[in-house]
Amino acid sequence: PVEHQRHRAHCRGTRLPHKDGLQRPGAGGVDVLHPRAQAPDPSSVALRHDAQMENTASTPVSHADLRKRIAPFRVKPRAVVRLGDDSKDFDPGYRDQFVTRADAGLALAEGVRQLGEYQARLAAQSTYAVLVILQAMDAAGKDGTIKHVLSGVNPQGVTVHPFKVPSLIELQHDYLWRYQLQLPERGSIGIFNRSHYEEVLVVRVHPELLGNEHLPGAQTDIWKRRFREINDWERYLADNGVRIVKLFLNLSKQEQRRRFLDRIDEPDKNWKFNVADALERERWDDYQHAYEEVLSATSTKYAPWHVVPADHKWFARLAASWIILDALMDIDPKYPKVDPQTRAKMLEIKERLLAEGRHRE
Ligand code: ATP
Ligand code: MG
């Protein structure tokens, strides 16, 4: 409850004192999680200069800090979830203590940098895979989040799969088949831009789609059963080294309206506007209800959901980077150590290479 009070207070722009002592003065560099706390006095040119110097050497975000930051977004298993205006828990406009996009810039850059570092170790270790599942209503910013959050990661270590309306071939298989085919391999990060959750979201809002799925016999309790099947599948994946990170970008209906209007008014954004999206908007309440049930039923210890505030795109990106980074920090991948025999062989080769150089000189 205290966490929620803080969460709501932040959402309304009220500033509560930091109870958690996250601030780390004297740690060297700018504390990226508290830009305001260390903002230079605008009257002092010298101070401003210092801050700029420090900006190039910001402090890495610690795992303990991250855990506290993302705690309000995590859905507890079987929690009753309410979205929308009367939600006590999840406000799409939440932005922690960051006020503007610029405030959050340094923190995002730091998160992106750390993601790159961890991904390099994840690839070298080649034991775990990270599967990021992105779900949202239209115009919530899935694409921009992928673009920004993964900008520091080696492209060879990431795969992104957008899932659209299933093809005729896909419909000839069980509903999880096409998602299984696109799972990331060990050592890499896979992003599902939409995912198997569409099977209990869009298909639930439009149950006539079930008619295309060639299902055997009468499907009683189909949604409950699909929740169970999805949980079972995810548990199997988690047990076998796939770390699952589930993000629901939580956009408000008013902000979606604003973004749709932008897409209509700005010629360069016209291509993003889809008439079908406007039709889905008319089913907003049905989707919100479907999401509430999904979040309740499929947030598990091994694959928890995170409700990411998405009315400020820059905050959604920052929060997504924190949540993915937290998963990588949990894995804590290590560069593999070579065995003594291989090491001895390496040193032998080194000697030969050095001798080659001496010979040339
Ligand atoms: P963007 O609009 O930014 O390109 P998008 O994810 O909305 O991203 P679209 O091509 O507009 O991509 O939409 C994909 C559509 O496919 C969505 O309406 C989604 O609900 C639908 N879809 C995805 N999976 C399924 C599924 N299993 N069954 C039915 N429809 C699905
Ligand atoms: Mg779309």
Side-chain angles (χ1 to χ4, degrees), residues 53-109:
M53 300 289 285
E54 283 177 336
N55 276 359
T56 58
S58 57
T59 48
V61 180
S62 79
H63 199 183
D65 283 357
L66 277 188
R67 280 199 180 128
K68 285 180 188 151
R69 297 279 157 167
I70 67 173
F73 311 142
R74 193 166 278 193
V75 181
K76 297 205 173 62
R78 289 182 301 280
V80 175
V81 177
R82 287 285 162 264
L83 300 170
D85 290 342
D86 52 349
S87 170
K88 287 195 195 58
D89 304 326
F90 304 112
D91 186 328
Y94 179 72
R95 50 187 168 173
D96 207 306
Q97 92 291 2
F98 299 92
V99 180
T100 63
R101 177 188 294 264
D103 273 347
L106 198 59
L108 179 58

Side-chain angles (χ1 to χ4, degrees), residues 138-139 142 194 263 272 274 277:
D138 286 301
K142 289 184 282 114
R194 300 192 188 267
R263 290 176 178 192
K272 286 193 198 175
N274 188 336
D277 294 353

